[in-house]
Amino acid sequence: MLPSFDYVRPKSVQAAITHLNTGSAQAYAGGTDLMGCLRERIFPIGKVVSLSGLQELRGVNETADGGLRIGALTTLSTIAEHPIVIKRFGGLAQAAGEVGSPQLRNQGTLGGNICQKPRCWYYRADFTCLRKGGGTCFAVDGENQFHCIFGGGGTCFIVHPSDTAPALVALNATVRLAGPKGTRDVPIEKFFVLPEVDVRRETVLARGEIVTEVRIPSPAPGTRSSYRKVRARRSWDFALAGVALALRFDGKRVIGSRVVLSGAAPVPWRSTEVEQVIRGKELTANVIAAAAKAVTSGAEPLEKNGYKIPLFRGVIEEELTRTAASA
Ligand SMILES: Cc1cc2nc3c(=O)[nH]c(=O)nc-3n(C[C@H](O)[C@H](O)[C@H](O)COP(=O)(O)OP(=O)(O)OC[C@H]3O[C@@H](n4cnc5c(N)ncnc54)[C@H](O)[C@@H]3O)c2cc1C
């Protein structure tokens, strides 16, 4: 059952910020994640602040310098089906198209997608885990088959749930935030917070702040981006393992590489190991095999998620082979 709360639908960003800066208020975009969190009573709620009246937070536009500006309230289906996103920022279109089900993509927004709460079943259930202010991560000795193999830092072993975030990191996006102290731009790689930095938060969003838009720079000539997601079943599901690529080619040689894993860590996880292996090289079978080996270097699987090691190797092998064939 839902707890009781006040509901407001402000007409300006400033009014939304004022509401969010008081008491235990939460922003509501499409509500596909928030409603579950409220039902499960993951955090206290006094006021739900709907952003749906903020028309300026919707839409996809090309910027004068060839980049892209996407309003935080833009739905995932709009992004997945947008001709410019498909043509020039293909990895993001694929990632948005991989989220949940058609209904979730029609209702869910980009801002909500990157700010959604972790899906760890201990966090979502009636366990006072570390992330909820308790003293224990129940996944360490528990059912940890869907947890992280990188970045847990001995504290909290969630995986970051968003499909679009790894694609946005690969594309070097920036998140624009508006809050009580004004507006600031944060490179998306610095937007997410590892448990070892602060186990109680997933992003750098401060009290009262909202994401207003995401900006992606114009891809350099020869850049190809893609997103590959492996899930346990063919209907809606979160990533067991996935990879977002943004590779720049000169002929068949990779001259720039950003490789970001999903389903791997508490934040979208850049695999600098794979980036280094492929940079400056043609994607031959030997190079791809070396990249597949490198992707799990430094991984620390838990008792029940060791299967992610061969899974990530396979994902990297398949996606680099597919990209090489189309280069
Ligand atoms: C059955 C199911 C399957 C799903 N499958 C996937 C999946 O495969 N991949 C995936 O990535 N996600 C998945 N999701 C999660 C979710 O539906 C999506 O992430 C969706 O994009 C969330 O967007 P929303 O607008 O509905 O967010 P909301 O539910 O409105 O908000 C989510 C969180 O973000 C905050 N928030 C929202 N907008 C802003 C903003 N502009 N600024 C600051 N904070 C904000 C809210 O306060 C809330 O904490 C799934 C959810 C369900 C219920």
Side-chain angles (χ1 to χ4, degrees), residues 102-167:
Q103 293 90 335
L104 286 160
R105 295 193 290 276
N106 287 340
Q107 179 72 13
T109 64
L110 186 63
N113 192 257
I114 62 174
C115 296
Q116 63 177 296
K117 292 290 176 183
R119 304 304 295 195
C120 169
W121 41 36
Y122 296 106
Y123 174 75
R124 292 267 170 171
D126 200 11
F127 290 83
T128 310
C129 68
L130 275 175
R131 193 163 286 276
K132 289 198 290 203
T136 310
C137 170
F138 295 93
V140 178
D141 297 317
E143 297 300 320
N144 50 38
Q145 44 272 58
F146 299 130
H147 290 75
C148 69
I149 57 169
F150 291 108
T155 48
C156 166
F157 294 85
I158 59 162
V159 287
H160 179 77
S162 160
D163 284 309
T164 62

Short mmCIF file of all heavy atoms in Angstrom, two decimals, residues 102-167:
data_model
loop_
_atom_site.label_atom_id
_atom_site.label_comp_id
_atom_site.label_asym_id
_atom_site.label_seq_id
_atom_site.Cartn_x
_atom_site.Cartn_y
_atom_site.Cartn_z
N PRO A 102 7.43 -1.77 -23.89
CA PRO A 102 6.93 -0.57 -24.58
C PRO A 102 6.18 0.37 -23.63
O PRO A 102 6.35 1.59 -23.70
CB PRO A 102 5.99 -1.15 -25.65
CG PRO A 102 6.50 -2.52 -25.91
CD PRO A 102 7.06 -3.01 -24.60
N GLN A 103 5.37 -0.19 -22.73
CA GLN A 103 4.62 0.67 -21.80
C GLN A 103 5.57 1.48 -20.93
O GLN A 103 5.36 2.68 -20.70
CB GLN A 103 3.72 -0.18 -20.88
CG GLN A 103 2.59 -0.89 -21.59
CD GLN A 103 2.99 -2.28 -22.08
OE1 GLN A 103 4.17 -2.55 -22.30
NE2 GLN A 103 2.01 -3.15 -22.24
N LEU A 104 6.64 0.83 -20.43
CA LEU A 104 7.60 1.54 -19.57
C LEU A 104 8.35 2.60 -20.36
O LEU A 104 8.64 3.68 -19.86
CB LEU A 104 8.59 0.55 -18.95
CG LEU A 104 8.02 -0.31 -17.82
CD1 LEU A 104 8.87 -1.55 -17.60
CD2 LEU A 104 7.92 0.50 -16.54
N ARG A 105 8.64 2.31 -21.63
CA ARG A 105 9.38 3.29 -22.44
C ARG A 105 8.48 4.48 -22.83
O ARG A 105 8.96 5.59 -23.01
CB ARG A 105 9.94 2.63 -23.70
CG ARG A 105 10.99 1.58 -23.40
CD ARG A 105 11.76 1.17 -24.63
NE ARG A 105 11.00 0.40 -25.58
CZ ARG A 105 10.79 -0.92 -25.52
NH1 ARG A 105 11.31 -1.62 -24.52
NH2 ARG A 105 10.10 -1.54 -26.45
N ASN A 106 7.19 4.24 -22.96
CA ASN A 106 6.27 5.34 -23.26
C ASN A 106 6.07 6.25 -22.06
O ASN A 106 5.79 7.44 -22.21
CB ASN A 106 4.89 4.80 -23.68
CG ASN A 106 4.93 4.21 -25.07
OD1 ASN A 106 5.84 4.51 -25.86
ND2 ASN A 106 3.97 3.35 -25.39
N GLN A 107 6.21 5.72 -20.87
CA GLN A 107 5.95 6.48 -19.65
C GLN A 107 7.26 6.96 -19.01
O GLN A 107 7.34 8.06 -18.48
CB GLN A 107 5.18 5.58 -18.66
CG GLN A 107 4.85 6.19 -17.34
CD GLN A 107 3.75 7.26 -17.44
OE1 GLN A 107 3.08 7.37 -18.45
NE2 GLN A 107 3.62 8.05 -16.40
N GLY A 108 8.30 6.14 -19.08
CA GLY A 108 9.57 6.45 -18.40
C GLY A 108 10.35 7.53 -19.15
O GLY A 108 10.35 7.59 -20.38
N THR A 109 11.06 8.36 -18.39
CA THR A 109 11.80 9.48 -18.97
C THR A 109 13.31 9.27 -18.85
O THR A 109 13.77 8.43 -18.06
CB THR A 109 11.44 10.77 -18.22
OG1 THR A 109 11.91 10.64 -16.86
CG2 THR A 109 9.93 11.02 -18.23
N LEU A 110 14.06 10.09 -19.59
CA LEU A 110 15.52 9.97 -19.52
C LEU A 110 16.02 10.36 -18.13
O LEU A 110 16.87 9.68 -17.55
CB LEU A 110 16.18 10.85 -20.59
CG LEU A 110 17.69 10.70 -20.68
CD1 LEU A 110 18.08 9.29 -21.10
CD2 LEU A 110 18.28 11.72 -21.66
N GLY A 111 15.49 11.48 -17.58
CA GLY A 111 15.91 11.91 -16.24
C GLY A 111 15.65 10.83 -15.20
O GLY A 111 16.50 10.51 -14.37
N GLY A 112 14.46 10.23 -15.26
CA GLY A 112 14.11 9.17 -14.32
C GLY A 112 14.96 7.94 -14.52
O GLY A 112 15.30 7.23 -13.56
N ASN A 113 15.32 7.69 -15.77
CA ASN A 113 16.13 6.50 -16.04
C ASN A 113 17.51 6.60 -15.40
O ASN A 113 18.00 5.61 -14.82
CB ASN A 113 16.25 6.28 -17.56
CG ASN A 113 16.82 4.93 -17.89
OD1 ASN A 113 17.98 4.81 -18.23
ND2 ASN A 113 16.02 3.88 -17.72
N ILE A 114 18.13 7.78 -15.47
CA ILE A 114 19.49 7.87 -14.89
C ILE A 114 19.45 8.12 -13.38
O ILE A 114 20.46 7.93 -12.71
CB ILE A 114 20.38 8.93 -15.60
CG1 ILE A 114 19.80 10.34 -15.47
CG2 ILE A 114 20.59 8.56 -17.05
CD1 ILE A 114 20.73 11.42 -16.02
N CYS A 115 18.27 8.52 -12.84
CA CYS A 115 18.17 8.76 -11.39
C CYS A 115 17.45 7.64 -10.66
O CYS A 115 17.22 7.74 -9.45
CB CYS A 115 17.42 10.07 -11.12
SG CYS A 115 18.26 11.52 -11.75
N GLN A 116 17.06 6.57 -11.34
CA GLN A 116 16.30 5.49 -10.70
C GLN A 116 17.12 4.84 -9.58
O GLN A 116 18.35 4.89 -9.57
CB GLN A 116 15.90 4.43 -11.73
CG GLN A 116 17.07 3.73 -12.39
CD GLN A 116 16.60 2.63 -13.35
OE1 GLN A 116 16.00 1.66 -12.94
NE2 GLN A 116 16.92 2.80 -14.64
N LYS A 117 16.40 4.21 -8.66
CA LYS A 117 17.03 3.58 -7.49
C LYS A 117 17.48 2.15 -7.85
O LYS A 117 16.93 1.52 -8.75
CB LYS A 117 16.03 3.53 -6.33
CG LYS A 117 15.69 4.90 -5.78
CD LYS A 117 16.89 5.45 -5.07
CE LYS A 117 16.65 6.86 -4.57
NZ LYS A 117 17.85 7.41 -3.95
N PRO A 118 18.47 1.63 -7.12
CA PRO A 118 18.98 0.27 -7.42
C PRO A 118 17.91 -0.80 -7.25
O PRO A 118 16.98 -0.62 -6.48
CB PRO A 118 20.09 0.07 -6.40
CG PRO A 118 20.31 1.38 -5.75
CD PRO A 118 19.14 2.25 -5.99
N ARG A 119 18.09 -1.93 -7.96
CA ARG A 119 17.09 -3.00 -7.90
C ARG A 119 17.48 -4.11 -6.93
O ARG A 119 16.78 -5.11 -6.86
CB ARG A 119 16.91 -3.63 -9.29
CG ARG A 119 16.54 -2.69 -10.39
CD ARG A 119 15.31 -1.90 -10.15
NE ARG A 119 14.08 -2.64 -10.08
CZ ARG A 119 12.87 -2.12 -10.16
NH1 ARG A 119 12.72 -0.81 -10.32
NH2 ARG A 119 11.81 -2.86 -10.07
N CYS A 120 18.58 -3.98 -6.19
CA CYS A 120 18.99 -5.02 -5.24
C CYS A 120 17.77 -5.46 -4.41
O CYS A 120 17.09 -4.63 -3.81
CB CYS A 120 20.08 -4.49 -4.31
SG CYS A 120 20.39 -5.60 -2.92
N TRP A 121 17.51 -6.77 -4.37
CA TRP A 121 16.28 -7.22 -3.70
C TRP A 121 16.33 -7.04 -2.20
O TRP A 121 15.27 -7.01 -1.56
CB TRP A 121 15.89 -8.63 -4.10
CG TRP A 121 16.99 -9.65 -4.22
CD1 TRP A 121 18.11 -9.77 -3.47
CD2 TRP A 121 17.03 -10.70 -5.18
NE1 TRP A 121 18.86 -10.82 -3.90
CE2 TRP A 121 18.21 -11.43 -4.95
CE3 TRP A 121 16.17 -11.12 -6.20
CZ2 TRP A 121 18.58 -12.54 -5.70
CZ3 TRP A 121 16.54 -12.22 -6.95
CH2 TRP A 121 17.73 -12.91 -6.70
N TYR A 122 17.49 -6.90 -1.60
CA TYR A 122 17.53 -6.60 -0.17
C TYR A 122 17.17 -5.13 0.06
O TYR A 122 16.41 -4.78 0.95
CB TYR A 122 18.92 -6.93 0.41
CG TYR A 122 19.22 -8.41 0.31
CD1 TYR A 122 20.13 -8.90 -0.63
CD2 TYR A 122 18.57 -9.31 1.14
CE1 TYR A 122 20.38 -10.26 -0.72
CE2 TYR A 122 18.81 -10.68 1.05
CZ TYR A 122 19.72 -11.14 0.12
OH TYR A 122 19.96 -12.49 0.02
N TYR A 123 17.74 -4.26 -0.80
CA TYR A 123 17.43 -2.83 -0.72
C TYR A 123 15.95 -2.58 -0.94
O TYR A 123 15.32 -1.77 -0.25
CB TYR A 123 18.28 -2.09 -1.76
CG TYR A 123 17.97 -0.62 -1.90
CD1 TYR A 123 18.40 0.30 -0.93
CD2 TYR A 123 17.28 -0.13 -3.01
CE1 TYR A 123 18.12 1.65 -1.07
CE2 TYR A 123 17.00 1.20 -3.15
CZ TYR A 123 17.42 2.10 -2.18
OH TYR A 123 17.15 3.43 -2.31
N ARG A 124 15.37 -3.31 -1.91
CA ARG A 124 13.96 -3.09 -2.26
C ARG A 124 13.00 -3.74 -1.26
O ARG A 124 11.81 -3.44 -1.27
CB ARG A 124 13.68 -3.66 -3.66
CG ARG A 124 14.37 -2.90 -4.77
CD ARG A 124 13.46 -1.83 -5.33
NE ARG A 124 14.16 -0.95 -6.23
CZ ARG A 124 13.56 -0.04 -6.99
NH1 ARG A 124 12.27 0.10 -6.98
NH2 ARG A 124 14.27 0.76 -7.76
N ALA A 125 13.49 -4.68 -0.46
CA ALA A 125 12.61 -5.39 0.48
C ALA A 125 12.80 -4.83 1.89
O ALA A 125 13.44 -3.79 2.08
CB ALA A 125 12.90 -6.88 0.42
N ASP A 126 12.28 -5.55 2.83
CA ASP A 126 12.23 -5.04 4.19
C ASP A 126 13.52 -5.32 4.97
O ASP A 126 13.49 -5.93 6.03
CB ASP A 126 11.02 -5.71 4.87
CG ASP A 126 10.57 -4.93 6.09
OD1 ASP A 126 11.05 -3.80 6.25
OD2 ASP A 126 9.78 -5.49 6.87
N PHE A 127 14.65 -4.95 4.38
CA PHE A 127 15.95 -5.16 5.04
C PHE A 127 16.58 -3.79 5.25
O PHE A 127 16.66 -3.01 4.30
CB PHE A 127 16.89 -5.98 4.15
CG PHE A 127 16.50 -7.42 4.00
CD1 PHE A 127 15.54 -7.79 3.05
CD2 PHE A 127 17.08 -8.40 4.80
CE1 PHE A 127 15.18 -9.12 2.91
CE2 PHE A 127 16.70 -9.73 4.66
CZ PHE A 127 15.76 -10.09 3.71
N THR A 128 17.03 -3.51 6.46
CA THR A 128 17.70 -2.22 6.68
C THR A 128 19.17 -2.41 6.34
O THR A 128 20.02 -2.65 7.18
CB THR A 128 17.52 -1.75 8.14
OG1 THR A 128 16.13 -1.83 8.44
CG2 THR A 128 17.97 -0.31 8.31
N CYS A 129 19.45 -2.33 5.06
CA CYS A 129 20.81 -2.58 4.57
C CYS A 129 21.64 -1.31 4.71
O CYS A 129 21.15 -0.26 5.11
CB CYS A 129 20.76 -3.06 3.12
SG CYS A 129 20.22 -1.78 1.98
N LEU A 130 22.91 -1.42 4.33
CA LEU A 130 23.81 -0.27 4.44
C LEU A 130 23.27 0.96 3.71
O LEU A 130 23.32 2.08 4.21
CB LEU A 130 25.16 -0.64 3.80
CG LEU A 130 26.18 -1.37 4.66
CD1 LEU A 130 27.38 -1.75 3.80
CD2 LEU A 130 26.61 -0.50 5.82
N ARG A 131 22.73 0.72 2.51
CA ARG A 131 22.24 1.83 1.67
C ARG A 131 21.02 2.51 2.30
O ARG A 131 20.69 3.63 1.97
CB ARG A 131 21.93 1.29 0.26
CG ARG A 131 21.72 2.34 -0.81
CD ARG A 131 21.84 1.78 -2.19
NE ARG A 131 23.23 1.52 -2.53
CZ ARG A 131 24.08 2.42 -2.99
NH1 ARG A 131 23.69 3.64 -3.24
NH2 ARG A 131 25.34 2.08 -3.25
N LYS A 132 20.35 1.79 3.21
CA LYS A 132 19.20 2.39 3.89
C LYS A 132 19.56 2.81 5.32
O LYS A 132 18.69 3.02 6.16
CB LYS A 132 18.03 1.40 3.90
CG LYS A 132 17.43 1.23 2.50
CD LYS A 132 16.03 0.61 2.48
CE LYS A 132 16.05 -0.82 2.86
NZ LYS A 132 14.88 -1.58 2.36
N GLY A 133 20.87 2.88 5.59
CA GLY A 133 21.29 3.39 6.90
C GLY A 133 21.58 2.32 7.93
O GLY A 133 21.89 2.63 9.08
N GLY A 134 21.48 1.03 7.54
CA GLY A 134 21.79 -0.06 8.46
C GLY A 134 23.28 -0.36 8.48
O GLY A 134 24.10 0.40 7.93
N GLY A 135 23.64 -1.50 9.08
CA GLY A 135 25.06 -1.81 9.24
C GLY A 135 25.55 -2.96 8.38
O GLY A 135 26.73 -3.34 8.47
N THR A 136 24.67 -3.56 7.56
CA THR A 136 25.04 -4.78 6.84
C THR A 136 24.65 -4.71 5.38
O THR A 136 23.57 -4.21 5.05
CB THR A 136 24.27 -5.99 7.45
OG1 THR A 136 24.44 -5.97 8.86
CG2 THR A 136 24.74 -7.31 6.89
N CYS A 137 25.51 -5.26 4.52
CA CYS A 137 25.10 -5.55 3.14
C CYS A 137 24.70 -7.02 3.12
O CYS A 137 25.54 -7.90 3.26
CB CYS A 137 26.22 -5.28 2.14
SG CYS A 137 25.80 -5.90 0.49
N PHE A 138 23.39 -7.27 2.96
CA PHE A 138 22.89 -8.66 3.05
C PHE A 138 23.27 -9.48 1.82
O PHE A 138 23.20 -10.70 1.84
CB PHE A 138 21.38 -8.64 3.24
CG PHE A 138 20.97 -8.03 4.56
CD1 PHE A 138 20.67 -6.68 4.64
CD2 PHE A 138 20.94 -8.80 5.70
CE1 PHE A 138 20.32 -6.10 5.86
CE2 PHE A 138 20.60 -8.24 6.94
CZ PHE A 138 20.29 -6.88 7.01
N ALA A 139 23.69 -8.81 0.76
CA ALA A 139 24.05 -9.54 -0.47
C ALA A 139 25.39 -10.27 -0.33
O ALA A 139 25.62 -11.26 -1.00
CB ALA A 139 24.10 -8.59 -1.66
N VAL A 140 26.26 -9.78 0.52
CA VAL A 140 27.61 -10.35 0.62
C VAL A 140 27.55 -11.86 0.86
O VAL A 140 28.19 -12.64 0.16
CB VAL A 140 28.44 -9.68 1.75
CG1 VAL A 140 29.80 -10.32 1.86
CG2 VAL A 140 28.57 -8.21 1.49
N ASP A 141 26.75 -12.27 1.85
CA ASP A 141 26.63 -13.70 2.16
C ASP A 141 25.27 -14.24 1.73
O ASP A 141 24.87 -15.32 2.18
CB ASP A 141 26.82 -13.93 3.67
CG ASP A 141 28.20 -13.52 4.12
OD1 ASP A 141 29.16 -13.84 3.41
OD2 ASP A 141 28.30 -12.85 5.17
N GLY A 142 24.56 -13.50 0.91
CA GLY A 142 23.20 -13.90 0.57
C GLY A 142 23.03 -14.27 -0.89
O GLY A 142 23.93 -14.86 -1.50
N GLU A 143 21.86 -13.92 -1.42
CA GLU A 143 21.54 -14.23 -2.82
C GLU A 143 22.14 -13.14 -3.69
O GLU A 143 21.53 -12.09 -3.93
CB GLU A 143 20.02 -14.31 -2.99
CG GLU A 143 19.36 -15.42 -2.19
CD GLU A 143 19.90 -16.80 -2.59
OE1 GLU A 143 20.12 -17.04 -3.79
OE2 GLU A 143 20.12 -17.62 -1.69
N ASN A 144 23.36 -13.38 -4.17
CA ASN A 144 24.08 -12.30 -4.85
C ASN A 144 24.30 -12.58 -6.33
O ASN A 144 25.22 -12.03 -6.95
CB ASN A 144 25.41 -12.00 -4.14
CG ASN A 144 26.21 -13.27 -3.88
OD1 ASN A 144 26.24 -14.16 -4.71
ND2 ASN A 144 26.87 -13.34 -2.73
N GLN A 145 23.42 -13.38 -6.94
CA GLN A 145 23.64 -13.74 -8.35
C GLN A 145 23.51 -12.56 -9.31
O GLN A 145 24.04 -12.62 -10.40
CB GLN A 145 22.75 -14.90 -8.79
CG GLN A 145 21.30 -14.87 -8.37
CD GLN A 145 21.05 -15.50 -7.02
OE1 GLN A 145 21.63 -15.08 -6.01
NE2 GLN A 145 20.21 -16.50 -6.95
N PHE A 146 22.76 -11.50 -8.91
CA PHE A 146 22.58 -10.36 -9.82
C PHE A 146 23.40 -9.14 -9.37
O PHE A 146 23.12 -8.03 -9.80
CB PHE A 146 21.10 -10.00 -9.92
CG PHE A 146 20.25 -11.13 -10.46
CD1 PHE A 146 19.10 -11.53 -9.82
CD2 PHE A 146 20.63 -11.79 -11.61
CE1 PHE A 146 18.34 -12.58 -10.32
CE2 PHE A 146 19.88 -12.85 -12.12
CZ PHE A 146 18.73 -13.24 -11.47
N HIS A 147 24.36 -9.36 -8.51
CA HIS A 147 25.09 -8.22 -7.96
C HIS A 147 26.38 -7.95 -8.75
O HIS A 147 26.63 -8.57 -9.77
CB HIS A 147 25.32 -8.45 -6.47
CG HIS A 147 24.03 -8.33 -5.70
ND1 HIS A 147 23.08 -9.31 -5.73
CD2 HIS A 147 23.52 -7.32 -4.94
CE1 HIS A 147 22.02 -8.93 -5.01
NE2 HIS A 147 22.28 -7.73 -4.52
N CYS A 148 27.18 -7.00 -8.23
CA CYS A 148 28.28 -6.48 -9.06
C CYS A 148 29.55 -7.33 -8.96
O CYS A 148 29.75 -8.07 -7.98
CB CYS A 148 28.58 -5.03 -8.68
SG CYS A 148 29.30 -4.83 -7.05
N ILE A 149 30.38 -7.19 -9.98
CA ILE A 149 31.69 -7.85 -9.96
C ILE A 149 32.83 -6.82 -9.93
O ILE A 149 33.99 -7.17 -9.82
CB ILE A 149 31.88 -8.83 -11.14
CG1 ILE A 149 31.71 -8.13 -12.49
CG2 ILE A 149 30.93 -10.02 -11.01
CD1 ILE A 149 32.13 -8.98 -13.68
N PHE A 150 32.45 -5.54 -10.09
CA PHE A 150 33.43 -4.45 -9.97
C PHE A 150 32.84 -3.39 -9.03
O PHE A 150 31.62 -3.19 -8.99
CB PHE A 150 33.64 -3.74 -11.32
CG PHE A 150 34.35 -4.53 -12.37
CD1 PHE A 150 33.64 -5.01 -13.47
CD2 PHE A 150 35.71 -4.77 -12.30
CE1 PHE A 150 34.29 -5.71 -14.48
CE2 PHE A 150 36.36 -5.49 -13.30
CZ PHE A 150 35.64 -5.96 -14.39
N GLY A 151 33.71 -2.67 -8.32
CA GLY A 151 33.31 -1.42 -7.66
C GLY A 151 32.52 -1.56 -6.37
O GLY A 151 32.08 -0.56 -5.83
N GLY A 152 32.31 -2.79 -5.88
CA GLY A 152 31.57 -2.93 -4.62
C GLY A 152 32.36 -2.37 -3.43
O GLY A 152 31.79 -1.93 -2.44
N GLY A 153 33.68 -2.40 -3.57
CA GLY A 153 34.55 -1.79 -2.55
C GLY A 153 34.35 -2.39 -1.16
O GLY A 153 34.59 -1.72 -0.16
N GLY A 154 33.87 -3.64 -1.10
CA GLY A 154 33.69 -4.28 0.21
C GLY A 154 32.52 -3.72 0.98
O GLY A 154 32.34 -4.06 2.16
N THR A 155 31.70 -2.87 0.38
CA THR A 155 30.61 -2.26 1.14
C THR A 155 29.23 -2.66 0.62
O THR A 155 28.51 -3.42 1.24
CB THR A 155 30.73 -0.72 1.13
OG1 THR A 155 30.95 -0.29 -0.21
CG2 THR A 155 31.83 -0.24 2.02
N CYS A 156 28.87 -2.18 -0.58
CA CYS A 156 27.52 -2.40 -1.12
C CYS A 156 27.68 -2.91 -2.55
O CYS A 156 28.45 -2.35 -3.33
CB CYS A 156 26.76 -1.08 -1.09
SG CYS A 156 25.26 -1.07 -2.07
N PHE A 157 26.95 -3.98 -2.89
CA PHE A 157 27.22 -4.69 -4.15
C PHE A 157 26.09 -4.56 -5.18
O PHE A 157 25.87 -5.46 -5.98
CB PHE A 157 27.55 -6.15 -3.85
CG PHE A 157 28.83 -6.29 -3.08
CD1 PHE A 157 28.85 -6.17 -1.70
CD2 PHE A 157 30.04 -6.47 -3.75
CE1 PHE A 157 30.04 -6.25 -1.00
CE2 PHE A 157 31.23 -6.55 -3.05
CZ PHE A 157 31.24 -6.45 -1.68
N ILE A 158 25.41 -3.42 -5.16
CA ILE A 158 24.36 -3.18 -6.17
C ILE A 158 24.99 -3.12 -7.55
O ILE A 158 26.19 -2.88 -7.71
CB ILE A 158 23.63 -1.83 -5.92
CG1 ILE A 158 24.63 -0.65 -5.95
CG2 ILE A 158 22.84 -1.86 -4.63
CD1 ILE A 158 24.01 0.69 -6.16
N VAL A 159 24.14 -3.33 -8.58
CA VAL A 159 24.56 -2.91 -9.93
C VAL A 159 23.72 -1.70 -10.32
O VAL A 159 22.54 -1.61 -9.96
CB VAL A 159 24.40 -4.01 -11.01
CG1 VAL A 159 25.43 -5.08 -10.85
CG2 VAL A 159 23.00 -4.56 -11.05
N HIS A 160 24.33 -0.81 -11.05
CA HIS A 160 23.59 0.35 -11.55
C HIS A 160 22.56 -0.15 -12.57
O HIS A 160 22.89 -0.89 -13.48
CB HIS A 160 24.58 1.32 -12.20
CG HIS A 160 23.89 2.52 -12.76
ND1 HIS A 160 23.45 3.54 -11.96
CD2 HIS A 160 23.52 2.82 -14.01
CE1 HIS A 160 22.84 4.44 -12.71
NE2 HIS A 160 22.88 4.03 -13.96
N PRO A 161 21.28 0.23 -12.41
CA PRO A 161 20.23 -0.40 -13.22
C PRO A 161 19.94 0.22 -14.58
O PRO A 161 19.29 -0.40 -15.41
CB PRO A 161 18.99 -0.25 -12.32
CG PRO A 161 19.25 0.97 -11.50
CD PRO A 161 20.73 1.08 -11.33
N SER A 162 20.42 1.43 -14.84
CA SER A 162 19.99 2.14 -16.05
C SER A 162 20.66 1.60 -17.32
O SER A 162 21.86 1.35 -17.33
CB SER A 162 20.31 3.62 -15.90
OG SER A 162 20.34 4.26 -17.15
N ASP A 163 19.87 1.47 -18.39
CA ASP A 163 20.46 1.11 -19.68
C ASP A 163 21.00 2.33 -20.43
O ASP A 163 21.98 2.22 -21.18
CB ASP A 163 19.40 0.44 -20.57
CG ASP A 163 19.14 -0.99 -20.13
OD1 ASP A 163 20.11 -1.75 -19.98
OD2 ASP A 163 17.97 -1.35 -19.93
N THR A 164 20.36 3.49 -20.24
CA THR A 164 20.83 4.65 -21.02
C THR A 164 22.13 5.23 -20.45
O THR A 164 22.93 5.79 -21.20
CB THR A 164 19.77 5.78 -21.06
OG1 THR A 164 19.52 6.24 -19.74
CG2 THR A 164 18.49 5.31 -21.72
N ALA A 165 22.34 5.08 -19.12
CA ALA A 165 23.52 5.72 -18.52
C ALA A 165 24.84 5.24 -19.14
O ALA A 165 25.70 6.06 -19.46
CB ALA A 165 23.51 5.51 -17.01
N PRO A 166 25.04 3.91 -19.34
CA PRO A 166 26.31 3.50 -19.96
C PRO A 166 26.49 4.07 -21.36
O PRO A 166 27.60 4.48 -21.74
CB PRO A 166 26.20 1.96 -20.02
CG PRO A 166 25.06 1.59 -19.16
CD PRO A 166 24.20 2.77 -18.98
N ALA A 167 25.38 4.15 -22.12
CA ALA A 167 25.48 4.73 -23.48
C ALA A 167 25.85 6.21 -23.40
O ALA A 167 26.66 6.71 -24.20
CB ALA A 167 24.16 4.53 -24.22
#
